Amino acid sequence: MRVNHALSTAVLALATALAAPAWAQNESTAPQDTTSNDVQDIVVTAQFRETRLQDTPIAITAVNAAMLEARGQTDITQVAAQAPNVSLRPQPQNGGTGLIAFIRGVGQTDFNYALDPGVGVYIDDVYIPTLSSSLLELIDLERVEILRGPQGTLAGKNSIGGAIKLFTAKPKGDNSGSLQVGYGSYNSLNVRGMADFAITENLAMRVSGLSRSSDGYVAMLDYGQTHPNSNVKGNNSRGNGNADYQSMGGQNITAVRAALRWTGSKVEVNLSGDYTREHSEPVPVVVIAAGAPSANFNPRSTGQSRDAVGTPLLVGKDGNPIPLDCRFVPAGPYSCDTGANLQGYDPRFVSYSNFMDAMAPSAQAPFKPYFSLPITQFTGWGVQGDITFDLNDNLNVVYIGSYRKYESKFGQDQDGTPVPIAQLDNQLNHHAFTSEIRLNFKAGDGLLEGTVGGFYLDQKGIYTARVDLNYVGPTIDFLHGPDTTPSETKAVFGTVTLHPIEGASITGGIRYTKDKKDYTYYRSNPDGTIPNPALCFANPAGGSIVAYPNCILAGIYGITGSFKGDRWDWRIVGDYRFSEQFLAYASVSTGFKGGGVNPRPFVADQRLPFNPETLTTYEVGFKADLFDRRVRLNGAAFLNKYEDIVLGKTICPESSLPSPCLRPNNIGSADVKGFELEATIRPADGFTLDGSISVLDFKYTSPTTGTPAVLVGSQIPASGITPYTPELSYSVGAQYDYQTDIGLFSIRFDGSYQGELYSNAENTIWSKIDSRFIGNGQVSFTDADKAWKFTFEVKNMFDKYYFLSKSDVTSPGNLGVVTGVPGLPRTWMASVRRNF
């Protein structure tokens, strides 16, 4: 659709809303009775102090615990679906347990520690520094805040697109508790529980936990057994006679958390610890198209069948190599899969992956066969605490500290077929220590308030992998790592708000950040030997470099690339409350995403650094409560000046080996314009409507070359847009609560629309993900004593077939496949909750 048309429609809707009479009572004295028609307040801490959402001059989506429960939202990606210009989704199979996060077109897809995320994730104000631990279960939360736009002064580095803040429920010592059990589609079993109790008069404890398991929804079928008349041998997998020996997408997750809270007359201390364990199946991937890699990929072509020295990748029954082609695409317009016995499985949810390379060993690839592990595993734990000390009525000190550690393992069959084009096993180990101190102050009898403080982050990531790439000429099959990535961040910050006249505020903020990061590379053969540059490039075996394994990686062992930098960020915002019902604001703010080093050099001189991305945002917005607080409208319009965008280079003329090359570099600049509107309406007793709409226009302003135009130094189209960024998205929600003598009956519907988007920066046609609308619904009954709650919910109630992500690796010298992660089909769950 045309962005300008959508933007005009949204502006017209806004103008119509603001033209309505603004009769409302004073928000500060509005009752918090959930049975009233008032839209209720949510208190947020986006500016280091507690303020009502409607008094905070930042574009924020805030969701409290009651709203999460009413919507049946159990992970952060579901919350994001109802926030404008926010795109969150789980990593595909090559990312393991993690998150792809974009806000207003700014984010990151790569899990590698060399690249920082573009959206900051926080739990109780503790920064979670990596994508690989950011797919967070919503366990015992008080609220979620999604801040849009750069939070460079308030949140620090890597919140250039925005920040996602999760706040857990604090212990109350009220001897309350709950237990919820649910069962549903794919043998899903969910158990959640909480207990809150007093230890002493001043000390309370809260323990919460969840266990979630389900079967997979994508079948991994043995192609030879399901196609007995084909040339592919049966039992050509781990199945050992079972054609459907395993599935993808099954999950088994356990998480627990314990928190202590001690309160005194001037001091509050909070201490918590958490543990998460996941032993799940691989992330589900299906093949959408397959053929020969080329600039104009033909999904009916015949792809690779041998490696660079002629060794067959997969030998057929007749002794001939079997090529990668459309026979291994189970469904869709690019499939030629015939004669299959899929044993009742929906072909749209079938994969012929086997995570196996059974090639015969050769002099150039002597480490065959190789079997990667079809797993997604994660073990992580952390401890964190905060201390608040009130020095007097106008001054207090807050300290926040944490230590977190995790290990993540995941296997990958990148081609998704029995033909072993690319297989990998990955392991990520990470630990991080954070420390932050804040001094909050007030002065002049409310004239001035603010915060000054400092922040420190020390982290180290280790990435180890077995990488088996038969599509590269020559084939490489090597041990990646353990690559170490220690980094350190130091920052000081301050923000001050002045209230010069009643209803008006002016806020200024500044932060100075200093970063350093090292990346040390290790590339070796799977048997532990190191490719010898002198031997490899002497070409003693008939003048052929491919006579020895992994020669292309020779010399990349024990060498380090480094990045150092510093950055000033600032923010200024003015807001004015024109009436008790209407607040408007205007702001200018900056942010940055940390620099780093190329994590995937093919030769030593490709280990080059890249600089931080930077963003300056100009924003105007409003927050309105209308019609006796029955209608809430919050809106914002913004212009982003996005500079030094880090994009991938595939040709590196600055290197001794210009190609192949996969180097992140500061290539692009862009202007990003957008508009966002959120609404909550309570038109009648017990009836609530809510929704949001966002429009985004992304235009590169970098120098271009060629026809069609691409950004200089890249293959990025000048007309492109960043990954996972739709031009239009919206959400709608409706809930009706009916109170009776025996209890409360509720029914709710939530729907979200995502416009078409691309999964890569090149915006290739094969990376396009079509637009879709997903609807969810639930009905529930809560008894009059609020002791029991029964819920029945349906997700994807219209049974839409869609993709969460896609991978296009069809370009010359690549795999020749298009794969995708399908979303779950229609599912149901029935649950019962007992409150104590």
Side-chain angles (χ1 to χ4, degrees), residues 104 173 226 242 257 319 323 438 460 539 672 718 722 745 752 787 808 812:
R104 292 180 173 178
T226 56
N242 301 318
R257 179 179 181 273
R438 303 172 184 170
K460 182 178 181 180
N539 297 330
V672 187
T722 48
F745 292 87
S752 62
D808 173 14

Side-chain angles (χ1 to χ4, degrees), residues 89 92 100 286 288 334 724 757-760 765-770 802-809 818-821:
R89 65 201 66 231
I100 295 175
V286 299
I288 299 169
Y334 310 111
Y724 297 105
L757 51 80
Y758 296 89
S759 65
N760 60 26
I765 187 172
W766 296 102
S767 77
K768 185 172 78 170
I769 298 176
D770 292 335
Y802 66 101
F803 288 99
L804 293 167
S805 57
K806 281 186 178 181
S807 174
D808 173 14
V809 282
V818 181
T819 60
V821 178

Side-chain angles (χ1 to χ4, degrees), residues 319-382:
N320 293 315
I322 297 174
L324 177 74
D325 58 25
C326 59
R327 82 186 76 183
F328 300 116
V329 181
Y334 310 111
S335 170
C336 60
D337 184 17
T338 59
N341 176 14
L342 299 185
Q343 305 186 20
Y345 290 102
D346 184 339
R348 300 175 303 168
F349 296 96
V350 164
S351 171
Y352 298 127
S353 296
N354 61 12
F355 289 77
M356 176 174 133
D357 180 355
M359 286 177 59
S362 65
Q364 191 264 325
F367 308 108
K368 315 291 186 175
Y370 162 60
F371 304 85
S372 59
L373 298 175
I375 59 171
T376 303
Q377 295 182 358
F378 178 88
T379 302
W381 62 272

Side-chain angles (χ1 to χ4, degrees), residues 303-305 313 324 356-357 413-415 417-423 468-472 814-817:
Q304 185 177 355
S305 62
L313 301 181
L324 177 74
M356 176 174 133
D357 180 355
D413 186 347
Q414 192 175 3
D415 53 79
T417 74
V419 183
I421 306 294
Q423 291 70 226
D468 178 26
L469 307 180
N470 293 321
Y471 67 91
V472 178
N814 226 311
L815 279 74
V817 294

